[in-house]
Amino acid sequence: MTAKATTGRVTRRRVRTRANLLDAAFAVFAAKGFGRVSIEEVCEAAGYSRGAFYSNFDSLDELFFALYEQRADLIAEQVTAALAADGPDLDVPAAVERVTEVLLLDRDWLLVKTDFLVHAARDPKVARVLLEHRARLRRAIADRLARARGHTALPAVLGDAGEAAHAVVAAYDGVTTRLLLDRDVAGARVWLGQLLTALLTDGSTRQ
């Protein structure tokens, strides 16, 4: 057996172990809350030893950021794909409809993320990393809005594309807060669509 084949098998096993740890951590975080979970509980849920955990992550914070990155990437991809269907012009109502249809609104994830936001608020180092992750979604939205400038009029009150992206993400945050309380995913999608349309147009469906 060659060293290359052995290395390839070890790499695949490590990728699988990491994925299993992430899946187990997500389930445990959602059930108990981020601040109430230990590394031992994650290992037990995944069926691995502490050694397997530490060969992939230095801490629960690092593991959480890996989870967050997965979902931040997914949300950014969903938003980018939904906004990319138009040409230079941005059909705002149609784009909003596409975004709200595909956007991740996972209540378990929102519970985990909210727990971690409280944790990050008490730790400036963690907060800085979390802010950078959140900025990635805003950049994806801002890039698309910037490309639409000159083709599609956006409300002047929003300022530049970056400020408009801040407003869009703030609307998403507000909708997810409501979703945590009323558990109404369908209602959250409708409300998000209404908020985004009001933000990015004069509030009507006319261009």
Side-chain angles (χ1 to χ4, degrees), residues 68 75 103 105 110 113-114 117 134 137-138 165-180 191-192 195-196:
Y68 194 95
I75 291 171
L103 192 61
L105 288 173
L110 295 175
K113 186 177 75 169
T114 301
L117 281 170
R134 286 172 61 82
L137 175 60
R138 290 199 306 274
H166 267 284
V168 169
V169 174
Y172 174 72
D173 286 342
V175 168
T176 57
T177 298
R178 170 175 165 173
L179 175 58
L180 282 171
W191 190 37
L192 181 60
L195 285 176
L196 293 182

Side-chain angles (χ1 to χ4, degrees), residues 24 36 38 50 69 110 113 143 145 152 164 178 187 191 200:
R36 299 180 179 86
S38 67
R50 285 175 62 91
E69 185 170 348
L110 295 175
K113 186 177 75 169
D143 287 349
L145 294 178
T152 302
R178 170 175 165 173
W191 190 37
L200 299 176

Side-chain angles (χ1 to χ4, degrees), residues 95-139:
V96 166
E97 184 175 357
R98 291 194 301 270
V99 168
T100 54
E101 282 178 355
V102 302
L103 192 61
L104 179 68
L105 288 173
D106 179 347
R107 190 172 179 277
D108 281 346
W109 169 241
L110 295 175
L111 285 169
V112 174
K113 186 177 75 169
T114 301
D115 280 341
F116 197 76
L117 281 170
V118 174
H119 169 61
R122 295 189 174 96
D123 187 329
K125 184 184 296 185
V126 176
R128 283 193 296 273
V129 180
L130 190 56
L131 284 169
E132 174 54 31
H133 279 285
R134 286 172 61 82
R136 294 172 60 189
L137 175 60
R138 290 199 306 274
R139 286 195 293 268

Side-chain angles (χ1 to χ4, degrees), residues 21-22 24-26 28-29 33-43 50 53-54 56-68 109 112 116 119 126:
L21 283 166
L22 287 169
F26 177 77
V28 177
F29 288 163
F34 175 83
R36 299 180 179 86
V37 173
S38 67
I39 289 173
E40 289 77 7
E41 287 173 303
V42 172
C43 292
R50 285 175 62 91
F53 180 94
Y54 284 114
N56 288 276
F57 305 103
D58 290 333
S59 65
L60 286 176
D61 282 357
E62 183 181 341
L63 183 152
F64 175 84
F65 281 125
L67 278 173
Y68 194 95
W109 169 241
V112 174
F116 197 76
H119 169 61
V126 176

Side-chain angles (χ1 to χ4, degrees), residues 181-198:
L181 299 176
D182 67 14
R183 303 170 182 258
D184 182 1
V185 175
R189 293 193 188 281
V190 171
W191 190 37
L192 181 60
Q194 293 170 340
L195 285 176
L196 293 182
T197 299

